[in-house]
Amino acid sequence: MDFGDEKPLLTEPACEATGDRRGHGPRRRWWTLAVVSAAQLLIVLDGTIVNIALPSAQRALGMSDGNRQWAITAYALAFGGLLLIGGRIGGALGHRRAFLTGLVGFAASSALGGAAVNAETLFGARAMQGAFAAVLAPAGLSLLATTFTEARERGRAFGVFAAVGAAGSAAGLIAGGLLTEYAGWRWCLYINVPVALLAVLGAGAVPRDRPMGRRGRFDVAGALLSLSGFAALVYGFNRAEPLGWGSAEVAALLTGGVLLLAAFAVVEVRASEPLLPARVLMHRVRAGAFLAITLMFVAMFGFYLFMSYYLQTVLGYSPVQAGLALIVNALAALCGAMLIAGKAHGRVPSAVLVVPGLLAAAAGMLILTRLTADGADVFVRHLLPALVLTGLGLGCVMPPTAASATEGMCGHDIGAASAAYNAAQQLGAALGTALLNTLAAGAGATYLASHPRASDAAVAVHGYTVALTVASAILLVAACLTAPLIAARRE
């Protein structure tokens, strides 16, 4: 396989700086990294921290079992559905201004959610969090991409940024357990306020950029189609878990989502100022980066779900102990992102990092297919090597894909590329959680039918191992599909 230098499918124009960044020294650049990483941590933490707090919040606010999912789903729908619009807002306002707007809004909606006196207020606050996160995430990635342009510095910066994102999910589980147990579930939302405000204060040192010069008509049709299409897919994936993939509601949502996004693609090709220009996606290396991160998130979010269940329901760990066990994965992800991918960026082609990263994660999940309901020495024999391999794999995949997604972009395109990268992660996470959990439940039910005397733990573990086998296969397919895209040579 040829892992030479990359080339795009289309030739892209050289970018002009969107702000006076060359006059700022290294301290300003690394300060930008610290502030953007803090914001990234907030976004990733909120994807998991509320999961741990949800049972306590349900009791406190009197949520029904049927409605409690909206504390999670409202955030996911708003975040995933509004990302492309958020990327456009960043280009129109300037990425620094959009970043500050997202931070302040995220802090305010977190405070509202923490103070909620009923379920409706909490659901609304979570939707507001998702909406402001949809502005914050692409603006932060765009600031990073335009601040770090030299290859080796860019590699280190994206390594740190990706490490924060990779470790954030595990950190959210730990923080959620600790805060819920010792401070109360409301602090799982309140904790965002001081972190966001500190980032706002730090953003004063972030180099200013300017809004894009072009002032075309806003792509209203594209915005509505992307919002409804992404929201339908994310909600359809969420509903597939309780209702099953054969449900008429799920089929309607997924079919409608695909059709709406197909219509969105048609509109974007014809629009004079498209929300997501075709040139952002019609680029070989960038397409490979989007594909790799989507499939990585499909596999990894199912992995986190099963590890949390296995540690707590089979091994009997408390939520805090389960979160602490996942620190191994977080530390491995940090090492992969900062010590391997961050240092190697600019020295080796991205395929040399992405493909082995996908294979390492696949190997880690394959080890977990040997899990048993007997917990004797299972942590050392199976969990420890699996947590290390999956963490290293995630850490090696995220920095080069994030860098490739935004490299060579300028103007509104950099915000669109950043938003598309985040949207790929959200769709992958939603699909992975629903798909793998459904597979695990189905495999467990089949096993119980043929082994009626099996214990609950044995049934659950069989389901996990079947689903993790599929997750491993997804990562192997991802490596095969992305390798030819990101390993093309320059002419």
Side-chain angles (χ1 to χ4, degrees):
M1 185 174 291
D2 185 2
F3 285 160
D5 296 331
E6 299 94 338
K7 74 172 181 178
L9 288 178
L10 301 178
T11 302
E12 294 177 340
C15 295
E16 297 180 359
T18 58
D20 186 15
R21 298 188 181 280
R22 290 172 293 179
H24 297 285
R27 289 186 179 180
R28 284 287 186 97
R29 292 198 296 276
W30 295 110
W31 188 256
T32 299
L33 172 62
V35 172
V36 170
S37 296
Q40 175 71 0
L41 180 62
L42 282 176
I43 294 168
V44 177
L45 279 176
D46 260 65
T48 56
I49 194 171
V50 175
N51 295 42
I52 300 294
L54 188 54
S56 298
Q58 181 180 1
R59 289 192 298 270
L61 301 181
M63 299 181 211
S64 68
D65 289 344
N67 287 335
R68 66 182 178 185
Q69 52 129 349
W70 283 103
I72 308 299
T73 305
Y75 180 85
L77 288 178
F79 188 22
L82 293 170
L83 269 167
L84 293 180
I85 299 172
R88 174 70 177 189
I89 289 171
L93 295 180
H95 301 303
R96 181 177 178 273
R97 189 178 298 172
F99 182 77
L100 286 168
T101 300
L103 276 174
V104 172
F106 196 88
S109 53
S110 297
L112 177 63
V117 295
N118 53 49
E120 291 73 20
T121 303
L122 178 61
F123 300 157
R126 289 288 286 164
M128 288 173 59
Q129 278 186 306
F132 283 108
V135 176
L136 181 59
L141 185 55
S142 298
L143 282 174
L144 209 61
T146 55
T147 299
F148 293 92
T149 54
E150 191 274 325
R152 291 191 179 178
E153 278 196 350
R154 184 178 175 88
R156 295 191 197 101
F158 275 96
V160 173
F161 176 78
V164 170
S169 294
L173 295 171
I174 299 166
L178 290 171
L179 288 169
T180 301
E181 187 167 339
Y182 298 112
W185 70 269
R186 295 181 185 276
W187 277 98
C188 290
L189 293 162
Y190 284 145
I191 193 64
N192 295 327
V193 177
V195 177
L197 293 181
L198 284 173
V200 168
L201 293 175
V206 172
R208 294 179 179 274
D209 65 344
R210 62 174 183 268
M212 301 303 104
R214 294 182 300 174
R215 285 285 184 266
R217 179 182 299 176
F218 182 70
D219 182 13
V220 176
L224 292 175
L225 287 169
S226 68
L227 170 60
S228 53
F230 274 107
L233 284 180
V234 171
Y235 189 53
F237 292 146
N238 275 273
R239 296 298 289 161
E241 184 178 341
L243 299 180
W245 293 94
S247 161
E249 179 184 337
V250 172
L253 285 167
L254 297 183
T255 302
V258 170
L259 292 175
L260 287 166
L261 289 183
F264 169 70
V266 172
V267 167
E268 296 305 276
V269 170
R270 299 179 177 180
S272 58
E273 292 288 338
L275 203 64
L276 181 61
R279 57 184 170 271
V280 172
L281 300 178
M282 296 295 292
H283 180 281
R284 179 170 292 168
V285 176
R286 195 170 299 119
F290 289 147
L291 180 61
I293 200 62
T294 301
L295 295 180
M296 173 61 92
F297 269 58
V298 168
M300 286 302 297
F301 267 71
F303 164 80
Y304 285 132
L305 178 70
F306 298 140
M307 286 300 93
S308 178
Y309 284 165
Y310 181 78
L311 290 169
Q312 293 180 68
T313 62
V314 178
L315 299 188
Y317 287 22
S318 70
V320 174
Q321 289 173 322
L324 291 174
L326 289 172
I327 282 183
V328 174
N329 182 263
L331 292 176
L334 287 170
C335 291
M338 297 177 67
L339 301 182
I340 300 175
K343 289 188 175 182
H345 185 84
R347 300 180 182 180
V348 300
S350 59
V352 175
L353 296 168
V354 174
V355 174
L358 292 168
L359 294 176
M365 293 190 189
L366 202 58
I367 291 172
L368 293 177
T369 62
R370 301 181 65 83
L371 286 177
T372 65
D374 179 8
D377 298 326
V378 70
F379 191 88
V380 174
R381 288 188 290 113
H382 299 309
L383 292 179
L384 183 60
L387 289 169
V388 170
L389 285 170
T390 52
L392 286 173
L394 183 62
C396 287
V397 169
M398 287 191 71
T401 54
S404 297
T406 55
E407 191 167 7
M409 295 281 91
C410 57
H412 287 299
D413 290 359
I414 194 166
S418 300
Y421 183 77
N422 279 280
Q425 294 180 22
Q426 289 303 304
L427 283 177
L431 173 59
T433 302
L435 173 63
L436 297 177
N437 202 37
T438 304
L439 286 172
T446 302
Y447 182 80
L448 181 60
S450 59
H451 300 79
R453 296 184 180 180
S455 66
D456 291 344
V459 171
V461 169
H462 179 77
Y464 301 158
T465 56
V466 169
L468 287 167
T469 302
V470 174
S472 181
I474 289 171
L475 291 170
L476 290 174
V477 170
C480 294
L481 293 178
T482 58
L485 292 174
I486 61 178
R489 280 192 175 276
R490 284 192 184 99
E491 294 178 348

